[in-house]
Amino acid sequence: MANTGLPKEGNLHGNRATVVFERKRVAVNGASNSRSYSTGRTTSEKLNVIGKLEDLYLRSERFTNESVDRNLYKILTNVELLELAYNKLRSKPGQMTPGVKPETLDGISKEVLEDIVAKLKNESFQFSPGRRVQIPKPSGGTRPLTIAPPRDKLVQEAMRMILEAVFEPTFSKYSHGFRPGKGCHSALKAVRQDFQPTNWIIEGDISKCFDSIDHAKLMNIIEAKILDRKFTRLI
């Protein structure tokens, strides 16, 4: 189960690759440099939380149609998971853009992570309003983008890692969008291998797709798969 692409320094994942496959690479790159941030965690501790994600992935892969009854919220409140989320986010320059407040991810301390974990454990953590900006589109016009505060980004990324471990094994092999190891190139390769002889390919686009997704139906899907209600309440 290898990934494509190489991890960058301080970036504990491959190119569009899920963290759950990265045991060996984390063992090599786990002691990467951080700006003014250090938790003093050992590589074995980081591998411990990655192992939990990997086990979760393998379980979902084996029992694709069954609900997950594991305590996902406990995994979320692991400070090592937030550290992995921090290392992933800080590798992207765009993640250093401030939200409503001027605070950024740069310089997040061990105390900040421990404070987030404490609030998650007693369920007092609250997401803050994001800053809404308009981003120019190559085809003209703009699209809205919400920039979350740094602490929210860390929790959201940690939640994304868990959700990816649960749902990624259940997705269709024909789906190439926003998935680890997949993208435009894997889609083109599939077309070349599986769509011959084809003369025409018609592209469709759902206007304002993400703006119009029914959140109630989406949560019904999530709650049918994930039985941990503390985790789904946070979503």
Side-chain angles (χ1 to χ4, degrees), residues 35 39 49 71 79 88 93 101 118 130-131 185 193 213 234-235:
R35 293 186 173 116
T39 62
V49 71
N71 188 344
V79 71
K88 185 175 187 300
K101 298 180 180 179
R131 182 164 66 91
H185 290 92
Q193 292 177 343
I213 288 177
L234 187 62
I235 297 176

Side-chain angles (χ1 to χ4, degrees), residues 116 119-120 122-129 149 151-152 155 234:
I116 294 174
K119 289 180 177 177
L120 285 171
N122 62 28
E123 295 188 82
S124 65
F125 181 87
Q126 294 289 329
F127 289 104
S128 303
R151 298 188 185 204
D152 289 11
V155 176
L234 187 62

